[in-house]
Amino acid sequence: RNLKNSTAFNSEPSQLKMVSITPDVEFHIRQNYTWMKLPASVKASLGNAPGLYDKAVMEFSVKNQMRWRNNVVRFIQRDERKYYESLLQYSREHLMLYPYHLQDMLVQGLRVTPFAYYCNMMYDTMLGEKSYDSLPNFTAADCLRLLGVGRNQYIDLMNQYRSKKFFRRRGIRDLLPSKPAKVSRVEPWWVVNVGYVTEDDIRVCMPEEHRTIDNIIDHGKQMVGTFDRQIILKLYNRGLIYFNIPIANSDIIVVPPLQGFVMNRVQGDYFETLLYKIFVSIDEHTNIGELASVLQVDLQLVKNAVSVFIRLGFAHKKNGTGENVSSASVHPSWHNLPSPTSTSPTDRIPETSPLTLKDFPTNNITSTPSPSPHSPSPDSASHPSLSTLTPGTSTSTTFQKRVGFLFDSTLTAFLMMGNLSPGLKNHAVTMFEVGKLTDEVMDSFLTELGKVSAQAEGEARRYYEHAITLLDTIKFLRHNPKLVGVAGGSGLGVDLLRCESMMSLEPATLTRVLQKNYSVLVSMAPLSQEVYSIASCSPPHLGPAVPEMNSVWFKLWLYSKLGRGPPSLLLAKGSRLRKLPHFLKGYTRVLVTTWGHDPTNVYVSNLLLTANDALTHSAVLIQAHGWKDNGQVQHVPFPFDRDEEIPLPEDDLLHHPSLTKLEKEVDLRHTCGYITLLRTGAPRIRPRHSQKKPAPAAPSAEEQAQQSAISEFLEDLRELGIGETTPDATPTTSSSGQRLVPVSATPEQDGTGTEAESQPQEPLSPAVAKLASEWVPLELKFGIPLFSETANKAVCDRLLECNLLSPGSLEQQTQTNRLLALEILSFISDHQDNFYFSDTVDSAPDAAPYTHTVPMPTRSLVFLNGKLENFNGR
């Protein structure tokens, strides 16, 4: 079929994105199905229009930077050269990385080197006067490596371009570099190939350069280390040669702390997504073949991504990979050079070679579907088949599983913003961009954390405290033989894992990665509500069992379960708050939590404006927090430290009735975390005594006005069932004239909740009754706290004393986590009109495609007087 004049052939790259490609269509394109071979169902989904399928093939091939040969696109676009021109134009317009896996076609055929590609891209960016931040992270890093243009240089170039000298601007081409920046990273084991060389190029070559080019042309690709280093670099700077980075199935890759990484933005194209998946999954005990099996990604794609990491300087091969050859073949100019990696210069060159225009005949092309993209490549014949590798096996070395400590982006922000230590920022960037910090580089990280001083004030002290407690936590978990059940003789190593990066993996891939590498997961506390926590039963997880436990729903479940909590109002998205609720009158501070975000403390005078603005796009939780000022909070770590031999003081918060009941409702003996208690400071009076009191003096006119205002306030409370006391209860003022709401000491009657009266209650001592009347539970968090050194030490001590990491405790914790998760999901379902099937589902702006979503409420709810009910708008 001659489709040379089809619409797909004449389409501009910017028009390719008009076609919607379904997963079924994508699968058949990857399998090289022509239109005649497509199943009837796929044809029907395309409207039985062959031209639409041609457009989809062209779009998919260009977006994914696929090779022309051996792919179905060769039947759509007959001209190979024009196809690669379209691919380059699309990649440049969309600021994608240079397709290094196509260098044999782009450099040899089109003479478009990476340097020329990025010069054109930078020209377009400057011509459009775009910000430097518009460049995606990896593209910006490659531009910095090849052009020497970073953020500051780009700003300087833009200032020169905008300035006028003698009434004219300087041309952008004159401002951009004319040759590549000094190459600081070329390894002797890389492979050199000849590029597009003309007779004019040969005339200006020195004799030694000429002999080198002839040698490469005559003998084909060769190891870079066999040639003089200075000659190779000169030829590379002139675009006469290019480098390939050979990657074998058995190679093991190391990712050290990032150097030279540019943090701009994430674009989301296919290759960038793959790079980040490999970043968070790669480690020093999994070879490339096993990594492809774990990720269920085409082996060649993984090799392409890893070669880019090495080229950019973000990774290197581990010692002992590949087959060794005689080091005598390495040119003396490569000796005694400070190598940025530990890679041996004698690693072997795989037998596969890049495709060139003369490698394949253009005739005898068939339309037979190609094998599955997950099938092993030719150079993996000597290695175990990927189909025989399981996620828990490794052909490299015996590996002992580790402890995975889960954190969120808030922690990396603290480490980067605080200027805590000169060398700490590189580790923080690695934690954020790579998504983890492995045990192999933990010693360096701990050294930098040890340089942090606790001398700080204000907001900066918060950064210092997190750094110090993180140091203590890692030291406690890492290689600690006292942690029963998870260690041999010296304990286990610790990997730091960023939740957002892990959740970007497909659920099945995430499970394989976790089960392969970790024996237990431990979360920091609290995790930001913008983060969806990892739900894992294998390995066990000391943290939120399901993402719903890190949401507003869990607060309401806690209050409903205990019958206590601050007055709380959950408003559904799209509703309006027309007046201040009666139960919030008198408070000056409230907590406002928009869906998927952390709470904000605001003045009650700003509540209506803040809440109604947020309700246009989100559900909102409003909670009483402080009467005259911010409420006081206390964090009580668990498992609770109740020593029967050493009785606690009567006023200790562990005597609080809510904590006693919480222990009965939730298994706190086999997990760790803390519960936050809140004291709002709302005024109270003591219980009435039977003895007679002296008759009060006749009130003055001013006091009568105050009494009248109090009566109106109490009338509002009675309408909500608050303050309904015995008939002789009358409004009272203190000796200073302060208004007091008449309530009994226990149970609470100010809207914070009450115990169920149907159950027999033991009489409380005055001290415990005072605790119950002043403090209410605010939130329950699972994990190891990092915000307080005292709370951190208490939780770590209890974790060790209770043997929470022993096999028996972890098994019990996993079972109770499952039951708790089911109960919370049932609670959400009972308070939703259409649980999980409504269109009011939270989707964070930066949520990954596989991110678990927590449903927004479909109706407004209020917690008051120990009950969770529908809100009637008053």
Side-chain angles (χ1 to χ4, degrees), residues 362-468:
T362 57
N363 54 357
N364 298 329
I365 297 178
T366 64
S367 60
T368 305
S370 67
S372 168
H374 298 294
S375 60
S377 61
D379 64 338
S380 63
S382 61
H383 300 279
S385 171
L386 293 183
S387 60
T388 64
L389 291 174
T390 60
T393 62
S394 175
T395 62
S396 52
T397 57
T398 303
F399 168 68
Q400 188 179 30
K401 293 185 178 181
R402 299 173 176 175
V403 177
F405 185 76
L406 300 174
F407 65 93
D408 58 29
S409 298
T410 305
L411 179 62
T412 59
F414 289 163
L415 297 180
M416 283 189 283
M417 292 171 55
N419 296 324
L420 307 176
S421 172
L424 193 58
K425 186 174 181 179
N426 287 337
H427 291 283
V429 171
T430 305
M431 292 167 63
F432 183 83
E433 294 294 345
V434 177
K436 70 177 180 181
L437 204 65
T438 60
D439 188 71
E440 286 78 10
V441 298
M442 202 60 64
D443 289 332
S444 172
F445 182 56
L446 295 179
T447 300
E448 296 298 332
L449 286 176
K451 298 177 182 178
V452 174
S453 171
Q455 303 298 324
E457 297 180 356
E459 184 68 18
R461 181 163 184 82
R462 187 182 180 191
Y463 308 148
Y464 284 80
E465 288 179 345
H466 276 77
I468 293 172

Side-chain angles (χ1 to χ4, degrees), residues 59-125:
E59 173 190 348
F60 183 81
S61 300
V62 169
K63 282 186 174 180
N64 289 274
Q65 298 177 330
M66 298 178 69
R67 192 176 290 274
W68 183 83
R69 292 184 177 167
N70 290 345
N71 282 299
V72 68
V73 70
R74 68 188 184 275
F75 302 116
I76 310 301
Q77 171 60 280
R78 298 286 184 174
D79 192 322
E80 183 177 13
R81 183 182 185 89
K82 289 186 177 180
Y83 168 75
Y84 285 116
E85 289 175 350
S86 298
L87 186 150
L88 277 176
Q89 182 180 351
Y90 179 89
S91 300
R92 189 177 71 248
E93 289 178 353
H94 291 79
L95 308 177
M96 297 173 65
L97 269 172
Y98 179 83
Y100 285 101
H101 60 287
L102 301 176
Q103 281 187 106
D104 53 328
M105 297 298 181
L106 304 182
V107 178
Q108 291 182 349
L110 302 181
R111 202 175 190 180
V112 179
T113 63
F115 174 77
Y117 173 82
Y118 288 121
C119 279
N120 291 332
M121 180 186 294
M122 195 64 67
Y123 174 86
D124 296 338
T125 304

Side-chain angles (χ1 to χ4, degrees), residues 656-694:
H656 197 290
S658 293
L659 302 189
T660 304
K661 187 174 183 179
L662 180 62
E663 282 187 296
K664 299 177 182 178
E665 300 291 347
V666 182
D667 180 13
L668 302 181
R669 293 288 303 172
H670 298 94
T671 187
C672 63
Y674 64 91
I675 182 171
T676 302
L677 298 178
L678 170 68
R679 179 161 63 182
T680 63
R684 306 170 184 276
I685 64 171
R686 297 178 179 178
R688 293 185 176 276
H689 299 284
S690 59
Q691 65 270 24
K692 296 182 179 180
K693 297 180 180 179

Side-chain angles (χ1 to χ4, degrees), residues 566-598:
S568 304
L569 174 61
L570 178 60
L571 296 173
K573 175 184 175 182
S575 58
R576 299 286 294 175
L577 190 63
R578 302 189 181 278
K579 64 178 181 178
L580 185 68
H582 292 288
F583 54 84
L584 292 179
K585 290 182 178 179
Y587 289 95
T588 59
R589 292 275 191 167
V590 291
L591 290 180
V592 177
T593 306
T594 57
W595 206 257
H597 295 83
D598 294 326

Side-chain angles (χ1 to χ4, degrees), residues 160-413:
Q160 294 182 46
Y161 170 65
R162 290 168 180 163
S163 64
K164 291 184 179 180
K165 191 173 184 180
F166 300 109
F167 303 100
R168 63 182 298 269
R169 287 184 175 183
R170 294 182 62 184
I172 296 178
R173 296 288 184 188
D174 298 333
L175 298 174
L176 292 175
S178 58
K179 62 180 181 179
K182 182 180 179 181
V183 180
S184 59
R185 182 184 180 85
V186 176
E187 296 292 331
W189 54 271
W190 291 8
V191 175
V192 60
N193 292 272
V194 68
Y196 191 103
V197 182
T198 65
E199 293 183 0
D200 294 335
D201 297 323
I202 295 297
R203 291 194 190 99
V204 298
C205 285
M206 301 294 291
E208 185 64 28
E209 297 172 350
H210 193 174
R211 286 193 295 269
T212 300
I213 293 177
D214 289 342
N215 190 336
I216 299 174
I217 293 176
D218 294 339
H219 299 91
K221 63 172 187 176
Q222 299 179 56
M223 193 171 66
V224 174
T226 59
F227 299 99
D228 185 274
R229 186 173 185 272
Q230 297 302 322
I231 299 297
I232 287 293
L233 293 181
K234 289 179 181 180
L235 294 176
Y236 175 77
N237 288 337
R238 289 157 57 185
L240 302 182
I241 59 173
Y242 65 92
F243 302 127
N244 280 332
I245 299 179
I247 304 295
N249 292 13
S250 58
D251 285 340
I252 296 177
I253 305 302
V254 178
V255 180
L258 296 181
Q259 299 281 349
F261 194 90
V262 182
M263 298 180 65
N264 278 359
R265 69 180 181 94
V266 177
Q267 177 163 275
D269 62 75
Y270 91 99
F271 198 64
E272 182 187 65
T273 302
L274 177 63
L275 289 174
Y276 277 112
K277 283 184 179 180
I278 294 177
F279 246 164
V280 77
S281 306
I282 203 168
D283 52 59
E284 297 188 25
H285 48 268
T286 302
N287 62 41
I288 299 300
E290 295 168 342
L291 180 62
S293 177
V294 170
L295 295 177
Q296 291 295 291
V297 176
D298 182 23
L299 179 61
Q300 190 57 47
L301 283 178
V302 175
K303 291 182 177 181
N304 293 342
V306 170
S307 67
V308 169
F309 285 146
I310 295 177
R311 190 184 299 271
L312 298 181
F314 300 151
H316 60 84
K317 286 185 181 182
K318 193 175 182 180
N319 284 336
T321 61
E323 298 175 2
N324 294 332
V325 295
S326 174
S327 59
S329 60
V330 178
H331 193 275
S333 61
W334 295 92
H335 295 165
N336 302 323
L337 288 177
S339 175
T341 72
S342 59
T343 305
S344 171
T346 58
D347 285 348
R348 71 177 179 91
I349 303 175
E351 306 248 343
T352 56
S353 60
L355 296 174
T356 58
L357 294 175
K358 62 182 180 180
D359 289 332
F360 293 94
T362 57
N363 54 357
N364 298 329
I365 297 178
T366 64
S367 60
T368 305
S370 67
S372 168
H374 298 294
S375 60
S377 61
D379 64 338
S380 63
S382 61
H383 300 279
S385 171
L386 293 183
S387 60
T388 64
L389 291 174
T390 60
T393 62
S394 175
T395 62
S396 52
T397 57
T398 303
F399 168 68
Q400 188 179 30
K401 293 185 178 181
R402 299 173 176 175
V403 177
F405 185 76
L406 300 174
F407 65 93
D408 58 29
S409 298
T410 305
L411 179 62
T412 59

